[in-house]
Amino acid sequence: MNEKKKRIIATAKELIALYGFKKTTMDEIAAKARMGKSSMYYYFKNKEDIFAEIVRIDSDLFRQKLNDAIQKAYSPQDKIMQYIRTRMLHLKELSNYYKTLTNEYLDHYFFIEQVRGDFYNFENNTLSTLINEGIQQNVFTPCDVDVVVHLIAIAIKGLEYPLFIQKEQDLERDSKQMMEIIFKGIEVRA
Amino acid sequence: MNEKKKRIIATAKELIALYGFKKTTMDEIAAKARMGKSSMYYYFKNKEDIFAEIVRIDSDLFRQKLNDAIQKAYSPQDKIMQYIRTRMLHLKELSNYYKTLTNEYLDHYFFIEQVRGDFYNFENNTLSTLINEGIQQNVFTPCDVDVVVHLIAIAIKGLEYPLFIQKEQDLERDSKQMMEIIFKGIEVRA
DNA sequence: AATTAGACTGAAATACAGAATTGGTCGAAT
DNA sequence: ATTCGACCAATTCTGTATTTCAGTCTAATT
C-alpha cells in the first residue's frame, strides 16, 4: 500500500479511536496527516471509505490471529479453547482501544453489517471445521455439527457482554468450565 | 386492588402498548379511564409509578407461569426444558404486545433495572434448584452448579435475540438440541 | 499524467428563542 | 376519603438563523 494512503489510515485510526467516527472531521485528519483535504479524496472515495478500510484491515488481522491460535494447538478441544481465548482477549483489547465508539450508531454504517456478517461466517466455518475434525479423529461423537456450533457461538456471545466489566481470569475460568461441559456433551464415551 | 386503580392500570397498559411510555400522556390516560387527571395522583405517586406497577404485576405473572410450567414436568431435564420453553413463548408474546416499546430508552427507568435484577436472581435460583435436584436424584453428575447455571442462562439469552426473527418451531428445536448437549455434558453416565 | 492544495458549495448539524405540551400540585367541592 | 378544574414550572417542540463539514472544482505543482 502507498505510503500516503498508510499515513491517512494511521492518522484516521488514531483520531477515530480518540473521538469516534462522527466527531473526527476530514479537515482534522488532513491537518494531522500534513496534507490538503482534497488530497485524501485522491486515495479514498469518501470518509466512510477510510473507515471501511480501517475496519477491513483490522478484521483481517483478527482472523489471522485466530487462525494462528488454532494452528498452535493440537487437540480439537484445545484448538477450540484457544480460539475462544484469543477471541476474548482481542475483543477486550479492542473495546479498550475504541472506548468512545459506542456500537449504537455504528450500526448505521452498512459496511459494519458486512464485516459482522463476514465474521459470523468465518466463525461458523472455523468452528464447524474444528468439530468435524474432532469427529474424524474419533474425539467427538458424530452429531449435528450446526447445533453444536450454534451452542458454542451463543456461549461465546454470552461471554462477550461481561467482557467490559469482569476480570480477565474470571472470563477465562468461566469459558473453560463451560466448554468442559459442552465437550463432555459431545465427546466419545470410553 | 381498588376498582379505579385497576382501571387506571388497564388503561395505561393499553395506551403504553400502543404508543410507548413516553408518548402516553397522563391526560390521555385520564380521558380514556374517564376520570380527572389529578384523581390518578390519588392512587399513584407519579407517572413512573403507574408504569412500575404494570411491570411489577406482569413480572409476577411471568414468574408464576414459569413455576407452574416446572411443576407440571417430572424429570429435572424436562423441568428445565419446560422452563426454557415457557420463557421463550412468553417473551415472544411480550415482544409482540409491546411492539413500540424499544428497550433502549426503557433503560433510563430505574425500576426496569430493579425488575431485571430480580428476574436474574429468580432465574438463577430456579435453575440452581433444578440442577441440584437432578444431582440429588443421581440424574446429573455432581458438578459446579453455578457454572452449569451460567452456561444455561447464557444459552437461553443467546436464543433470546433471534426471538423476533426466527420461527417458533425452529427456536424450540434449537433449544431442545442445545439442551440435549448440555444434559449429556452433566448427566451421570451409565 | 499523477498529485496536491486552497477556495467554494450545498446539505446537514447546531444554537436558540418563543410557543406549546405535559407531569405534577393545590385548594375547593362532594 | 375522593374527585376535579385551574394552575405552574419544566420540558419538549418548532421554526429559523448560523455554523460546520463532507465533498467538488479548478488551477498549480511535480
Side-chain angles (χ1 to χ4, degrees), chain B residues 5 9 12-13 16 21 44-60 63 98 106 109-115 118:
Chain B
K5 206 169 174 183
I9 291 277
K13 203 174 164 182
I16 286 170
F21 177 63
F44 295 95
K45 206 170 96 264
N46 51 34
K47 192 182 174 186
E48 273 201 1
D49 200 34
I50 298 179
F51 193 23
E53 183 83 4
I54 292 175
V55 171
R56 206 188 50 71
I57 293 171
D58 277 6
S59 80
D60 278 357
R63 275 198 277 263
Y98 290 110
L106 278 185
Y109 300 103
F110 72 99
F111 57 90
I112 292 287
E113 269 313 306
Q114 168 76 26
V115 171
D118 285 356

PDB file of all heavy atoms in Angstrom, chain B residues 5 9 12-13 16 21 44-60 63 98 106 109-115 118:
ATOM      1  N   LYS B   5     -58.209   1.909  40.640  1.00  0.00           N
ATOM      2  CA  LYS B   5     -56.779   1.653  40.443  1.00  0.00           C
ATOM      3  C   LYS B   5     -56.590   0.665  39.297  1.00  0.00           C
ATOM      4  O   LYS B   5     -55.743   0.859  38.430  1.00  0.00           O
ATOM      5  CB  LYS B   5     -56.182   1.092  41.742  1.00  0.00           C
ATOM      6  CG  LYS B   5     -54.701   1.371  41.897  1.00  0.00           C
ATOM      7  CD  LYS B   5     -54.198   1.041  43.279  1.00  0.00           C
ATOM      8  CE  LYS B   5     -52.686   1.185  43.350  1.00  0.00           C
ATOM      9  NZ  LYS B   5     -52.132   0.808  44.644  1.00  0.00           N
ATOM     10  N   ILE B   9     -54.608   1.225  35.734  1.00  0.00           N
ATOM     11  CA  ILE B   9     -53.580   0.284  35.269  1.00  0.00           C
ATOM     12  C   ILE B   9     -53.931  -0.267  33.887  1.00  0.00           C
ATOM     13  O   ILE B   9     -53.110  -0.262  32.972  1.00  0.00           O
ATOM     14  CB  ILE B   9     -53.441  -0.899  36.256  1.00  0.00           C
ATOM     15  CG1 ILE B   9     -52.837  -0.429  37.583  1.00  0.00           C
ATOM     16  CG2 ILE B   9     -52.604  -2.016  35.653  1.00  0.00           C
ATOM     17  CD1 ILE B   9     -51.351  -0.337  37.584  1.00  0.00           C
ATOM     18  N   ALA B  12     -53.763   2.480  31.198  1.00  0.00           N
ATOM     19  CA  ALA B  12     -52.369   2.863  30.964  1.00  0.00           C
ATOM     20  C   ALA B  12     -51.659   1.774  30.168  1.00  0.00           C
ATOM     21  O   ALA B  12     -50.946   2.061  29.200  1.00  0.00           O
ATOM     22  CB  ALA B  12     -51.657   3.098  32.294  1.00  0.00           C
ATOM     23  N   LYS B  13     -51.898   0.537  30.558  1.00  0.00           N
ATOM     24  CA  LYS B  13     -51.251  -0.588  29.890  1.00  0.00           C
ATOM     25  C   LYS B  13     -51.603  -0.594  28.410  1.00  0.00           C
ATOM     26  O   LYS B  13     -50.737  -0.757  27.549  1.00  0.00           O
ATOM     27  CB  LYS B  13     -51.717  -1.888  30.550  1.00  0.00           C
ATOM     28  CG  LYS B  13     -50.764  -3.039  30.347  1.00  0.00           C
ATOM     29  CD  LYS B  13     -51.192  -4.263  31.128  1.00  0.00           C
ATOM     30  CE  LYS B  13     -50.479  -5.489  30.615  1.00  0.00           C
ATOM     31  NZ  LYS B  13     -50.889  -6.709  31.311  1.00  0.00           N
ATOM     32  N   ILE B  16     -49.935   2.388  26.679  1.00  0.00           N
ATOM     33  CA  ILE B  16     -48.481   2.222  26.617  1.00  0.00           C
ATOM     34  C   ILE B  16     -48.098   1.175  25.576  1.00  0.00           C
ATOM     35  O   ILE B  16     -47.118   1.335  24.854  1.00  0.00           O
ATOM     36  CB  ILE B  16     -47.919   1.859  28.006  1.00  0.00           C
ATOM     37  CG1 ILE B  16     -47.936   3.112  28.906  1.00  0.00           C
ATOM     38  CG2 ILE B  16     -46.492   1.340  27.898  1.00  0.00           C
ATOM     39  CD1 ILE B  16     -47.631   2.820  30.360  1.00  0.00           C
ATOM     40  N   PHE B  21     -44.182   4.391  26.525  1.00  0.00           N
ATOM     41  CA  PHE B  21     -44.343   5.048  27.820  1.00  0.00           C
ATOM     42  C   PHE B  21     -44.306   6.574  27.715  1.00  0.00           C
ATOM     43  O   PHE B  21     -45.157   7.274  28.242  1.00  0.00           O
ATOM     44  CB  PHE B  21     -43.243   4.570  28.769  1.00  0.00           C
ATOM     45  CG  PHE B  21     -43.264   5.236  30.103  1.00  0.00           C
ATOM     46  CD1 PHE B  21     -44.352   5.081  30.959  1.00  0.00           C
ATOM     47  CD2 PHE B  21     -42.200   6.024  30.508  1.00  0.00           C
ATOM     48  CE1 PHE B  21     -44.366   5.702  32.195  1.00  0.00           C
ATOM     49  CE2 PHE B  21     -42.214   6.642  31.744  1.00  0.00           C
ATOM     50  CZ  PHE B  21     -43.299   6.489  32.583  1.00  0.00           C
ATOM     51  N   PHE B  44     -51.698   6.978  42.524  1.00  0.00           N
ATOM     52  CA  PHE B  44     -50.291   6.756  42.166  1.00  0.00           C
ATOM     53  C   PHE B  44     -49.461   8.001  42.439  1.00  0.00           C
ATOM     54  O   PHE B  44     -49.936   9.117  42.274  1.00  0.00           O
ATOM     55  CB  PHE B  44     -50.170   6.365  40.687  1.00  0.00           C
ATOM     56  CG  PHE B  44     -50.804   5.046  40.374  1.00  0.00           C
ATOM     57  CD1 PHE B  44     -52.103   4.997  39.888  1.00  0.00           C
ATOM     58  CD2 PHE B  44     -50.119   3.851  40.583  1.00  0.00           C
ATOM     59  CE1 PHE B  44     -52.705   3.784  39.615  1.00  0.00           C
ATOM     60  CE2 PHE B  44     -50.715   2.636  40.305  1.00  0.00           C
ATOM     61  CZ  PHE B  44     -52.013   2.598  39.821  1.00  0.00           C
ATOM     62  N   LYS B  45     -48.228   7.755  42.844  1.00  0.00           N
ATOM     63  CA  LYS B  45     -47.330   8.856  43.166  1.00  0.00           C
ATOM     64  C   LYS B  45     -47.048   9.694  41.916  1.00  0.00           C
ATOM     65  O   LYS B  45     -47.080  10.919  41.957  1.00  0.00           O
ATOM     66  CB  LYS B  45     -46.024   8.294  43.744  1.00  0.00           C
ATOM     67  CG  LYS B  45     -45.269   9.236  44.662  1.00  0.00           C
ATOM     68  CD  LYS B  45     -44.130   8.526  45.377  1.00  0.00           C
ATOM     69  CE  LYS B  45     -42.795   8.706  44.692  1.00  0.00           C
ATOM     70  NZ  LYS B  45     -42.388   7.612  43.774  1.00  0.00           N
ATOM     71  N   ASN B  46     -46.758   9.040  40.820  1.00  0.00           N
ATOM     72  CA  ASN B  46     -46.465   9.752  39.576  1.00  0.00           C
ATOM     73  C   ASN B  46     -46.588   8.797  38.387  1.00  0.00           C
ATOM     74  O   ASN B  46     -46.982   7.655  38.547  1.00  0.00           O
ATOM     75  CB  ASN B  46     -45.072  10.377  39.634  1.00  0.00           C
ATOM     76  CG  ASN B  46     -44.020   9.362  40.046  1.00  0.00           C
ATOM     77  OD1 ASN B  46     -44.135   8.185  39.702  1.00  0.00           O
ATOM     78  ND2 ASN B  46     -43.034   9.801  40.784  1.00  0.00           N
ATOM     79  N   LYS B  47     -46.232   9.287  37.231  1.00  0.00           N
ATOM     80  CA  LYS B  47     -46.378   8.505  36.004  1.00  0.00           C
ATOM     81  C   LYS B  47     -45.539   7.227  36.061  1.00  0.00           C
ATOM     82  O   LYS B  47     -46.019   6.141  35.730  1.00  0.00           O
ATOM     83  CB  LYS B  47     -45.968   9.362  34.813  1.00  0.00           C
ATOM     84  CG  LYS B  47     -46.335   8.765  33.457  1.00  0.00           C
ATOM     85  CD  LYS B  47     -45.832   9.666  32.343  1.00  0.00           C
ATOM     86  CE  LYS B  47     -46.056   9.034  30.980  1.00  0.00           C
ATOM     87  NZ  LYS B  47     -45.445   9.827  29.898  1.00  0.00           N
ATOM     88  N   GLU B  48     -44.311   7.386  36.479  1.00  0.00           N
ATOM     89  CA  GLU B  48     -43.416   6.231  36.586  1.00  0.00           C
ATOM     90  C   GLU B  48     -44.018   5.154  37.472  1.00  0.00           C
ATOM     91  O   GLU B  48     -43.889   3.970  37.208  1.00  0.00           O
ATOM     92  CB  GLU B  48     -42.067   6.656  37.177  1.00  0.00           C
ATOM     93  CG  GLU B  48     -41.080   7.132  36.154  1.00  0.00           C
ATOM     94  CD  GLU B  48     -39.644   7.054  36.668  1.00  0.00           C
ATOM     95  OE1 GLU B  48     -39.425   6.607  37.809  1.00  0.00           O
ATOM     96  OE2 GLU B  48     -38.751   7.463  35.922  1.00  0.00           O
ATOM     97  N   ASP B  49     -44.678   5.614  38.525  1.00  0.00           N
ATOM     98  CA  ASP B  49     -45.260   4.691  39.494  1.00  0.00           C
ATOM     99  C   ASP B  49     -46.284   3.780  38.828  1.00  0.00           C
ATOM    100  O   ASP B  49     -46.365   2.590  39.131  1.00  0.00           O
ATOM    101  CB  ASP B  49     -45.903   5.497  40.625  1.00  0.00           C
ATOM    102  CG  ASP B  49     -46.074   4.654  41.873  1.00  0.00           C
ATOM    103  OD1 ASP B  49     -45.214   3.790  42.115  1.00  0.00           O
ATOM    104  OD2 ASP B  49     -47.075   4.856  42.585  1.00  0.00           O
ATOM    105  N   ILE B  50     -47.067   4.346  37.927  1.00  0.00           N
ATOM    106  CA  ILE B  50     -48.055   3.536  37.202  1.00  0.00           C
ATOM    107  C   ILE B  50     -47.336   2.472  36.381  1.00  0.00           C
ATOM    108  O   ILE B  50     -47.667   1.294  36.437  1.00  0.00           O
ATOM    109  CB  ILE B  50     -48.908   4.432  36.269  1.00  0.00           C
ATOM    110  CG1 ILE B  50     -49.691   5.453  37.092  1.00  0.00           C
ATOM    111  CG2 ILE B  50     -49.862   3.574  35.435  1.00  0.00           C
ATOM    112  CD1 ILE B  50     -50.531   6.389  36.242  1.00  0.00           C
ATOM    113  N   PHE B  51     -46.350   2.932  35.653  1.00  0.00           N
ATOM    114  CA  PHE B  51     -45.592   2.026  34.813  1.00  0.00           C
ATOM    115  C   PHE B  51     -44.938   0.934  35.661  1.00  0.00           C
ATOM    116  O   PHE B  51     -44.982  -0.252  35.317  1.00  0.00           O
ATOM    117  CB  PHE B  51     -44.551   2.822  34.036  1.00  0.00           C
ATOM    118  CG  PHE B  51     -43.916   2.069  32.913  1.00  0.00           C
ATOM    119  CD1 PHE B  51     -44.551   0.969  32.331  1.00  0.00           C
ATOM    120  CD2 PHE B  51     -42.691   2.475  32.417  1.00  0.00           C
ATOM    121  CE1 PHE B  51     -43.965   0.289  31.278  1.00  0.00           C
ATOM    122  CE2 PHE B  51     -42.095   1.792  31.370  1.00  0.00           C
ATOM    123  CZ  PHE B  51     -42.733   0.697  30.804  1.00  0.00           C
ATOM    124  N   ALA B  52     -44.346   1.351  36.758  1.00  0.00           N
ATOM    125  CA  ALA B  52     -43.659   0.400  37.636  1.00  0.00           C
ATOM    126  C   ALA B  52     -44.621  -0.679  38.114  1.00  0.00           C
ATOM    127  O   ALA B  52     -44.286  -1.861  38.167  1.00  0.00           O
ATOM    128  CB  ALA B  52     -43.039   1.135  38.810  1.00  0.00           C
ATOM    129  N   GLU B  53     -45.836  -0.250  38.444  1.00  0.00           N
ATOM    130  CA  GLU B  53     -46.845  -1.203  38.914  1.00  0.00           C
ATOM    131  C   GLU B  53     -47.193  -2.205  37.822  1.00  0.00           C
ATOM    132  O   GLU B  53     -47.280  -3.406  38.069  1.00  0.00           O
ATOM    133  CB  GLU B  53     -48.100  -0.435  39.357  1.00  0.00           C
ATOM    134  CG  GLU B  53     -49.196  -1.295  39.944  1.00  0.00           C
ATOM    135  CD  GLU B  53     -48.980  -1.612  41.428  1.00  0.00           C
ATOM    136  OE1 GLU B  53     -48.007  -1.100  42.004  1.00  0.00           O
ATOM    137  OE2 GLU B  53     -49.786  -2.391  41.970  1.00  0.00           O
ATOM    138  N   ILE B  54     -47.382  -1.684  36.603  1.00  0.00           N
ATOM    139  CA  ILE B  54     -47.681  -2.565  35.468  1.00  0.00           C
ATOM    140  C   ILE B  54     -46.581  -3.612  35.328  1.00  0.00           C
ATOM    141  O   ILE B  54     -46.843  -4.819  35.227  1.00  0.00           O
ATOM    142  CB  ILE B  54     -47.790  -1.751  34.158  1.00  0.00           C
ATOM    143  CG1 ILE B  54     -49.027  -0.849  34.199  1.00  0.00           C
ATOM    144  CG2 ILE B  54     -47.853  -2.677  32.945  1.00  0.00           C
ATOM    145  CD1 ILE B  54     -49.142   0.072  33.007  1.00  0.00           C
ATOM    146  N   VAL B  55     -45.347  -3.137  35.326  1.00  0.00           N
ATOM    147  CA  VAL B  55     -44.217  -4.042  35.148  1.00  0.00           C
ATOM    148  C   VAL B  55     -44.161  -5.060  36.281  1.00  0.00           C
ATOM    149  O   VAL B  55     -43.925  -6.244  36.060  1.00  0.00           O
ATOM    150  CB  VAL B  55     -42.898  -3.242  35.064  1.00  0.00           C
ATOM    151  CG1 VAL B  55     -41.697  -4.172  35.097  1.00  0.00           C
ATOM    152  CG2 VAL B  55     -42.868  -2.392  33.811  1.00  0.00           C
ATOM    153  N   ARG B  56     -44.393  -4.581  37.502  1.00  0.00           N
ATOM    154  CA  ARG B  56     -44.340  -5.461  38.665  1.00  0.00           C
ATOM    155  C   ARG B  56     -45.386  -6.577  38.538  1.00  0.00           C
ATOM    156  O   ARG B  56     -45.078  -7.760  38.703  1.00  0.00           O
ATOM    157  CB  ARG B  56     -44.592  -4.656  39.935  1.00  0.00           C
ATOM    158  CG  ARG B  56     -43.982  -5.250  41.208  1.00  0.00           C
ATOM    159  CD  ARG B  56     -44.452  -4.501  42.442  1.00  0.00           C
ATOM    160  NE  ARG B  56     -45.909  -4.347  42.495  1.00  0.00           N
ATOM    161  CZ  ARG B  56     -46.759  -5.336  42.727  1.00  0.00           C
ATOM    162  NH1 ARG B  56     -46.318  -6.546  42.938  1.00  0.00           N
ATOM    163  NH2 ARG B  56     -48.061  -5.110  42.742  1.00  0.00           N
ATOM    164  N   ILE B  57     -46.601  -6.193  38.210  1.00  0.00           N
ATOM    165  CA  ILE B  57     -47.674  -7.186  38.065  1.00  0.00           C
ATOM    166  C   ILE B  57     -47.325  -8.206  36.981  1.00  0.00           C
ATOM    167  O   ILE B  57     -47.424  -9.413  37.182  1.00  0.00           O
ATOM    168  CB  ILE B  57     -49.009  -6.491  37.725  1.00  0.00           C
ATOM    169  CG1 ILE B  57     -49.492  -5.647  38.912  1.00  0.00           C
ATOM    170  CG2 ILE B  57     -50.066  -7.520  37.336  1.00  0.00           C
ATOM    171  CD1 ILE B  57     -50.687  -4.760  38.599  1.00  0.00           C
ATOM    172  N   ASP B  58     -46.906  -7.673  35.837  1.00  0.00           N
ATOM    173  CA  ASP B  58     -46.573  -8.565  34.721  1.00  0.00           C
ATOM    174  C   ASP B  58     -45.463  -9.536  35.081  1.00  0.00           C
ATOM    175  O   ASP B  58     -45.527 -10.716  34.729  1.00  0.00           O
ATOM    176  CB  ASP B  58     -46.156  -7.743  33.496  1.00  0.00           C
ATOM    177  CG  ASP B  58     -47.370  -7.261  32.718  1.00  0.00           C
ATOM    178  OD1 ASP B  58     -48.488  -7.471  33.205  1.00  0.00           O
ATOM    179  OD2 ASP B  58     -47.189  -6.682  31.633  1.00  0.00           O
ATOM    180  N   SER B  59     -44.454  -9.017  35.767  1.00  0.00           N
ATOM    181  CA  SER B  59     -43.324  -9.906  36.051  1.00  0.00           C
ATOM    182  C   SER B  59     -43.709 -10.939  37.104  1.00  0.00           C
ATOM    183  O   SER B  59     -43.211 -12.058  37.092  1.00  0.00           O
ATOM    184  CB  SER B  59     -42.085  -9.110  36.459  1.00  0.00           C
ATOM    185  OG  SER B  59     -42.179  -8.736  37.811  1.00  0.00           O
ATOM    186  N   ASP B  60     -44.621 -10.575  37.997  1.00  0.00           N
ATOM    187  CA  ASP B  60     -45.128 -11.560  38.951  1.00  0.00           C
ATOM    188  C   ASP B  60     -45.848 -12.691  38.222  1.00  0.00           C
ATOM    189  O   ASP B  60     -45.637 -13.874  38.505  1.00  0.00           O
ATOM    190  CB  ASP B  60     -46.096 -10.901  39.941  1.00  0.00           C
ATOM    191  CG  ASP B  60     -45.357 -10.211  41.076  1.00  0.00           C
ATOM    192  OD1 ASP B  60     -44.123 -10.300  41.104  1.00  0.00           O
ATOM    193  OD2 ASP B  60     -46.028  -9.577  41.920  1.00  0.00           O
ATOM    194  N   ARG B  63     -43.347 -14.946  36.486  1.00  0.00           N
ATOM    195  CA  ARG B  63     -42.701 -15.884  37.416  1.00  0.00           C
ATOM    196  C   ARG B  63     -43.636 -17.029  37.780  1.00  0.00           C
ATOM    197  O   ARG B  63     -43.234 -18.182  37.837  1.00  0.00           O
ATOM    198  CB  ARG B  63     -42.260 -15.150  38.677  1.00  0.00           C
ATOM    199  CG  ARG B  63     -40.904 -14.489  38.525  1.00  0.00           C
ATOM    200  CD  ARG B  63     -40.329 -14.168  39.877  1.00  0.00           C
ATOM    201  NE  ARG B  63     -40.860 -12.921  40.385  1.00  0.00           N
ATOM    202  CZ  ARG B  63     -40.226 -11.758  40.276  1.00  0.00           C
ATOM    203  NH1 ARG B  63     -39.060 -11.706  39.698  1.00  0.00           N
ATOM    204  NH2 ARG B  63     -40.755 -10.657  40.748  1.00  0.00           N
ATOM    205  N   TYR B  98     -45.743  -5.452  23.043  1.00  0.00           N
ATOM    206  CA  TYR B  98     -45.119  -4.136  23.209  1.00  0.00           C
ATOM    207  C   TYR B  98     -44.241  -3.799  22.018  1.00  0.00           C
ATOM    208  O   TYR B  98     -43.071  -3.476  22.176  1.00  0.00           O
ATOM    209  CB  TYR B  98     -44.293  -4.102  24.478  1.00  0.00           C
ATOM    210  CG  TYR B  98     -45.131  -4.128  25.735  1.00  0.00           C
ATOM    211  CD1 TYR B  98     -45.155  -5.243  26.558  1.00  0.00           C
ATOM    212  CD2 TYR B  98     -45.887  -3.023  26.098  1.00  0.00           C
ATOM    213  CE1 TYR B  98     -45.917  -5.271  27.710  1.00  0.00           C
ATOM    214  CE2 TYR B  98     -46.655  -3.039  27.246  1.00  0.00           C
ATOM    215  CZ  TYR B  98     -46.669  -4.161  28.047  1.00  0.00           C
ATOM    216  OH  TYR B  98     -47.421  -4.180  29.183  1.00  0.00           O
ATOM    217  N   LEU B 106     -36.006   2.444  27.663  1.00  0.00           N
ATOM    218  CA  LEU B 106     -36.583   1.906  28.885  1.00  0.00           C
ATOM    219  C   LEU B 106     -35.513   1.829  29.963  1.00  0.00           C
ATOM    220  O   LEU B 106     -35.790   1.933  31.152  1.00  0.00           O
ATOM    221  CB  LEU B 106     -37.140   0.505  28.643  1.00  0.00           C
ATOM    222  CG  LEU B 106     -38.513   0.422  28.024  1.00  0.00           C
ATOM    223  CD1 LEU B 106     -38.970  -1.018  27.958  1.00  0.00           C
ATOM    224  CD2 LEU B 106     -39.498   1.245  28.838  1.00  0.00           C
ATOM    225  N   TYR B 109     -35.270   4.057  33.024  1.00  0.00           N
ATOM    226  CA  TYR B 109     -36.117   3.996  34.198  1.00  0.00           C
ATOM    227  C   TYR B 109     -35.575   2.984  35.190  1.00  0.00           C
ATOM    228  O   TYR B 109     -35.450   1.807  34.893  1.00  0.00           O
ATOM    229  CB  TYR B 109     -37.554   3.685  33.787  1.00  0.00           C
ATOM    230  CG  TYR B 109     -38.078   4.749  32.861  1.00  0.00           C
ATOM    231  CD1 TYR B 109     -38.178   4.521  31.498  1.00  0.00           C
ATOM    232  CD2 TYR B 109     -38.384   6.010  33.356  1.00  0.00           C
ATOM    233  CE1 TYR B 109     -38.614   5.526  30.639  1.00  0.00           C
ATOM    234  CE2 TYR B 109     -38.818   7.011  32.515  1.00  0.00           C
ATOM    235  CZ  TYR B 109     -38.934   6.766  31.161  1.00  0.00           C
ATOM    236  OH  TYR B 109     -39.349   7.762  30.334  1.00  0.00           O
ATOM    237  N   PHE B 110     -35.237   3.469  36.344  1.00  0.00           N
ATOM    238  CA  PHE B 110     -34.517   2.683  37.343  1.00  0.00           C
ATOM    239  C   PHE B 110     -35.193   1.367  37.674  1.00  0.00           C
ATOM    240  O   PHE B 110     -34.542   0.347  37.849  1.00  0.00           O
ATOM    241  CB  PHE B 110     -34.355   3.498  38.623  1.00  0.00           C
ATOM    242  CG  PHE B 110     -35.640   3.660  39.389  1.00  0.00           C
ATOM    243  CD1 PHE B 110     -35.912   2.834  40.475  1.00  0.00           C
ATOM    244  CD2 PHE B 110     -36.570   4.622  39.024  1.00  0.00           C
ATOM    245  CE1 PHE B 110     -37.092   2.973  41.172  1.00  0.00           C
ATOM    246  CE2 PHE B 110     -37.758   4.758  39.709  1.00  0.00           C
ATOM    247  CZ  PHE B 110     -38.014   3.925  40.785  1.00  0.00           C
ATOM    248  N   PHE B 111     -36.535   1.356  37.744  1.00  0.00           N
ATOM    249  CA  PHE B 111     -37.225   0.161  38.202  1.00  0.00           C
ATOM    250  C   PHE B 111     -37.108  -0.982  37.204  1.00  0.00           C
ATOM    251  O   PHE B 111     -37.283  -2.135  37.561  1.00  0.00           O
ATOM    252  CB  PHE B 111     -38.694   0.462  38.521  1.00  0.00           C
ATOM    253  CG  PHE B 111     -39.455   1.054  37.374  1.00  0.00           C
ATOM    254  CD1 PHE B 111     -40.111   0.240  36.475  1.00  0.00           C
ATOM    255  CD2 PHE B 111     -39.507   2.423  37.206  1.00  0.00           C
ATOM    256  CE1 PHE B 111     -40.812   0.788  35.414  1.00  0.00           C
ATOM    257  CE2 PHE B 111     -40.194   2.974  36.161  1.00  0.00           C
ATOM    258  CZ  PHE B 111     -40.840   2.168  35.256  1.00  0.00           C
ATOM    259  N   ILE B 112     -36.822  -0.645  35.952  1.00  0.00           N
ATOM    260  CA  ILE B 112     -36.585  -1.702  34.971  1.00  0.00           C
ATOM    261  C   ILE B 112     -35.338  -2.492  35.387  1.00  0.00           C
ATOM    262  O   ILE B 112     -35.337  -3.718  35.390  1.00  0.00           O
ATOM    263  CB  ILE B 112     -36.384  -1.104  33.564  1.00  0.00           C
ATOM    264  CG1 ILE B 112     -37.687  -0.483  33.057  1.00  0.00           C
ATOM    265  CG2 ILE B 112     -35.907  -2.183  32.584  1.00  0.00           C
ATOM    266  CD1 ILE B 112     -38.733  -1.491  32.663  1.00  0.00           C
ATOM    267  N   GLU B 113     -34.311  -1.780  35.767  1.00  0.00           N
ATOM    268  CA  GLU B 113     -33.089  -2.418  36.254  1.00  0.00           C
ATOM    269  C   GLU B 113     -33.402  -3.309  37.451  1.00  0.00           C
ATOM    270  O   GLU B 113     -32.919  -4.421  37.571  1.00  0.00           O
ATOM    271  CB  GLU B 113     -32.047  -1.361  36.638  1.00  0.00           C
ATOM    272  CG  GLU B 113     -31.105  -0.981  35.514  1.00  0.00           C
ATOM    273  CD  GLU B 113     -30.544  -2.190  34.787  1.00  0.00           C
ATOM    274  OE1 GLU B 113     -29.976  -3.074  35.460  1.00  0.00           O
ATOM    275  OE2 GLU B 113     -30.679  -2.252  33.551  1.00  0.00           O
ATOM    276  N   GLN B 114     -34.235  -2.770  38.318  1.00  0.00           N
ATOM    277  CA  GLN B 114     -34.677  -3.489  39.520  1.00  0.00           C
ATOM    278  C   GLN B 114     -35.325  -4.822  39.131  1.00  0.00           C
ATOM    279  O   GLN B 114     -34.921  -5.891  39.595  1.00  0.00           O
ATOM    280  CB  GLN B 114     -35.675  -2.593  40.269  1.00  0.00           C
ATOM    281  CG  GLN B 114     -36.457  -3.266  41.370  1.00  0.00           C
ATOM    282  CD  GLN B 114     -35.604  -3.465  42.598  1.00  0.00           C
ATOM    283  OE1 GLN B 114     -34.641  -2.717  42.807  1.00  0.00           O
ATOM    284  NE2 GLN B 114     -35.918  -4.481  43.388  1.00  0.00           N
ATOM    285  N   VAL B 115     -36.312  -4.729  38.217  1.00  0.00           N
ATOM    286  CA  VAL B 115     -37.031  -5.925  37.787  1.00  0.00           C
ATOM    287  C   VAL B 115     -36.084  -6.897  37.090  1.00  0.00           C
ATOM    288  O   VAL B 115     -36.115  -8.101  37.329  1.00  0.00           O
ATOM    289  CB  VAL B 115     -38.189  -5.545  36.842  1.00  0.00           C
ATOM    290  CG1 VAL B 115     -38.810  -6.790  36.221  1.00  0.00           C
ATOM    291  CG2 VAL B 115     -39.237  -4.760  37.596  1.00  0.00           C
ATOM    292  N   ASP B 118     -34.117  -8.596  39.716  1.00  0.00           N
ATOM    293  CA  ASP B 118     -34.962  -9.571  40.410  1.00  0.00           C
ATOM    294  C   ASP B 118     -35.137 -10.819  39.560  1.00  0.00           C
ATOM    295  O   ASP B 118     -35.041 -11.940  40.048  1.00  0.00           O
ATOM    296  CB  ASP B 118     -36.347  -8.968  40.709  1.00  0.00           C
ATOM    297  CG  ASP B 118     -36.276  -7.986  41.859  1.00  0.00           C
ATOM    298  OD1 ASP B 118     -35.187  -7.850  42.447  1.00  0.00           O
ATOM    299  OD2 ASP B 118     -37.300  -7.355  42.148  1.00  0.00           O
TER     300      ASP B 118
END
